[in-house]
Amino acid sequence: MTPAQRAAVAEYHDYLLKDHDIDYRVLTTPDAGDINIFALRGFEALAAESRSGTGRALLLVVDTKQDLIRLEVSYALEGAYPDAFIAYVEHRQMVPFFRDNRIADGILATTELIITRAQRAAANAGFDGEAWATASGGGGATIKA
């Protein structure tokens, strides 16, 4: 990521924490091994030092060697970020950017969708009109990037 992209991500993260009490982190690794276990351990570490007072947390893990991504969602956010939304974000937002080797742009675009969903949830807007809500996301949230 360029310094400008890092600054934009940091600004988004600060906004999510300040306005929605969501502690959102991005973790990249050259080799997570089992990304599901790696993400769970990372999420547990995040929870131990969380900046959220309500337990709202998101962790995006990007494994560059295995070309995998995983987005972990805390129990406190499952209502706003259900599996169908996560699957939509991974398939329609992350994969196209990552496939074109635009990792930083994919992280930024994903973060923008996460912010939009937080704003709609805070406004109690429900899922009407959100493209992801019209499709089936299936189970799980790990895919080949």
Side-chain angles (χ1 to χ4, degrees):
M1 294 184 102
T2 67
Q5 290 168 324
R6 285 180 196 263
V9 168
E11 186 176 317
Y12 286 146
H13 289 217
D14 289 343
Y15 167 79
L16 282 168
L17 187 62
K18 180 182 171 200
D19 286 19
H20 301 284
D21 197 36
I22 297 173
D23 190 356
Y24 173 52
R25 313 270 180 106
V26 177
L27 179 60
T28 59
T29 179
D31 189 5
D34 182 327
I35 195 168
N36 299 312
I37 293 171
F38 184 87
L40 178 61
R41 288 184 181 146
F43 200 77
E44 289 170 348
L46 169 65
E49 61 181 49
S50 181
R51 296 176 289 178
S52 169
T54 57
R56 295 176 179 167
L58 297 167
L59 176 65
L60 173 60
V61 176
V62 180
D63 183 324
T64 57
K65 182 178 179 184
Q66 296 184 83
D67 198 26
L68 293 172
I69 50 179
R70 180 163 178 91
L71 185 57
E72 288 287 328
V73 179
S74 69
Y75 290 125
L77 288 175
E78 286 186 348
Y81 299 98
D83 287 347
F85 174 80
I86 299 304
Y88 177 85
V89 167
E90 288 177 346
H91 289 276
R92 300 288 180 107
Q93 197 68 27
M94 291 185 209
V95 169
F97 281 104
F98 289 13
R99 185 178 298 136
D100 291 339
N101 203 28
R102 297 175 53 206
I103 308 301
D105 292 334
I107 291 170
L108 285 167
T110 297
T111 303
E112 289 170 355
L113 278 179
I114 287 169
I115 287 172
T116 299
R117 184 65 213 129
Q119 291 167 333
R120 290 183 57 79
N124 202 20
F127 304 127
D128 293 342
E130 293 188 20
W132 65 269
T134 62
S136 171
T142 303
I143 62 169
K144 186 88 170 156

